[in-house]
Amino acid sequence: MTLESLAVKGTRLEAAWFGPPPDQAATLVLLHEGLGCVALWKAFPQHLAELTGCGVLAYSRAGYGASDPVTLPRPLSYMHEEAREILPRVLDAANVQRAVLVGHSDGASIALINAATVVDPRVRGLVLIAPHVFTEPIGLDSIRGAREAYQSGPLRERLARYHRHVDVAFRGWNEAWLDPDFATWNLRGFIPGIHCPSLLLQGRQDQYGTHKQLDAIEADCSGPCRVVWLDHCGHSPHREQPEATLETIRHFVTDLGLTGFPPT
């Protein structure tokens, strides 16, 4: 692992690189969840690089991990802005030449918006892990539960180990999702704009979204789409079912012809 700092639009973003550099192999770009950061991917990026032979770039969005903070409240369009304004510049700053966007939760929604609106020729595929395309009562209930755990439980202390500006990280995500105006947030109109191959992964016991999220993407996307459901798995397949998640992604990247290993 190589720790880096990327400068994007005057903001310093924490980043880490695993595996070969972008001029030697395709890059799997990890886009974290609403409370994630580089460190919370744990061993997943290293294992992904070893299994695929690709480079893996993980970065913490502004307000998360060791990245610079943001001003609160976040706009309710924060995922749109990340997808269209920040992510292309992250790829530029890291010299990424061929990419697969691997997003989890909010990060998957960001990847979806990017693929549908930016249409970056560097992006060859999407891995969407527990993506959100609209709000559901089950997800909002879980987000309210997270607020209770943060205010009166152990969640703040746990997150403070990973986020330099922990209140910014938590409130920026939680308060946006629980804003009454966010109830109408919906990405379904973007889905037909996805033409690159997509892999959709979700746990059957996901506490933040139902099968309707993946059903909507599969029904409306314009490119090839594969859906994988994982049993005995909640919202974080890469942590709860790491071997199955890694192997599924490996097959997807291999089918795209992007593995970093020489042909046998």
Side-chain angles (χ1 to χ4, degrees):
M1 178 181 72
T2 302
L3 294 174
E4 300 183 13
S5 178
L6 302 176
V8 177
K9 296 188 71 173
T11 299
R12 188 191 63 82
L13 302 179
E14 171 192 32
W17 194 280
F18 305 80
D23 60 345
Q24 295 181 15
T27 304
L28 309 183
V29 181
L30 301 187
L31 306 172
H32 63 74
E33 63 188 300
L35 292 178
C37 63
V38 168
L40 278 167
W41 286 108
K42 303 293 181 71
F44 183 72
Q46 184 64 48
H47 291 159
L48 196 56
E50 292 170 354
L51 195 63
T52 63
C54 294
V56 176
L57 172 66
Y59 76 97
S60 299
R61 297 193 292 276
Y64 294 98
S67 293
D68 286 348
V70 295
T71 301
L72 297 180
R74 283 188 183 273
L76 302 189
S77 59
Y78 72 92
M79 284 181 267
H80 299 69
E81 294 175 5
E82 185 73 27
R84 295 189 284 215
E85 300 295 327
I86 305 302
L87 179 54
R89 290 173 171 84
V90 168
L91 302 186
D92 291 342
N95 195 32
V96 171
Q97 299 171 29
R98 294 175 298 152
V100 174
L101 304 181
V102 182
H104 173 225
S105 194
D106 276 19
S109 302
I110 290 166
L112 186 156
I113 297 169
N114 175 272
T117 62
V118 178
V119 196
D120 191 327
R122 293 173 293 188
V123 175
R124 308 297 179 84
L126 303 178
V127 177
L128 307 180
I129 303 173
H132 306 293
V133 291
F134 47 81
T135 57
E136 290 187 279
I138 184 176
L140 296 177
D141 287 346
S142 292
I143 292 168
R144 292 186 189 97
R147 180 177 60 187
E148 293 298 318
Y150 191 82
Q151 292 174 341
S152 58
L155 183 57
R156 187 182 189 280
E157 181 180 354
R158 292 206 307 267
L159 290 175
R161 302 170 193 164
Y162 300 99
H163 299 289
R164 185 173 295 170
H165 308 281
V166 64
D167 292 331
V168 171
F170 183 83
R171 290 180 53 207
W173 165 77
N174 192 263
E175 292 176 3
W177 273 89
L178 295 181
D179 188 298
D181 290 338
F182 204 80
T184 59
W185 178 87
N186 195 305
L187 302 182
R188 294 194 69 157
F190 291 103
I191 297 171
I194 300 173
H195 293 271
C196 63
S198 301
L199 169 64
L200 314 181
L201 283 140
Q202 188 167 346
R204 293 193 185 277
Q205 289 74 43
D206 192 330
Q207 63 272 39
Y208 284 90
T210 70
H211 66 91
K212 295 178 182 178
Q213 305 287 334
L214 268 57
D215 289 349
I217 300 172
E218 184 181 23
D220 293 341
C221 70
S222 299
C225 180
R226 181 188 177 200
V227 175
V228 175
W229 287 95
L230 297 175
D231 293 318
H232 312 294
C233 183
H235 189 58
S236 301
H238 58 292
R239 288 194 287 266
E240 299 170 55
Q241 295 281 2
E243 293 183 2
T245 301
L246 286 163
E247 189 63 18
T248 301
I249 296 174
R250 183 187 71 80
H251 279 294
F252 179 71
V253 173
T254 299
D255 289 345
L256 291 177
L258 293 178
T259 57
F261 300 119
T264 57

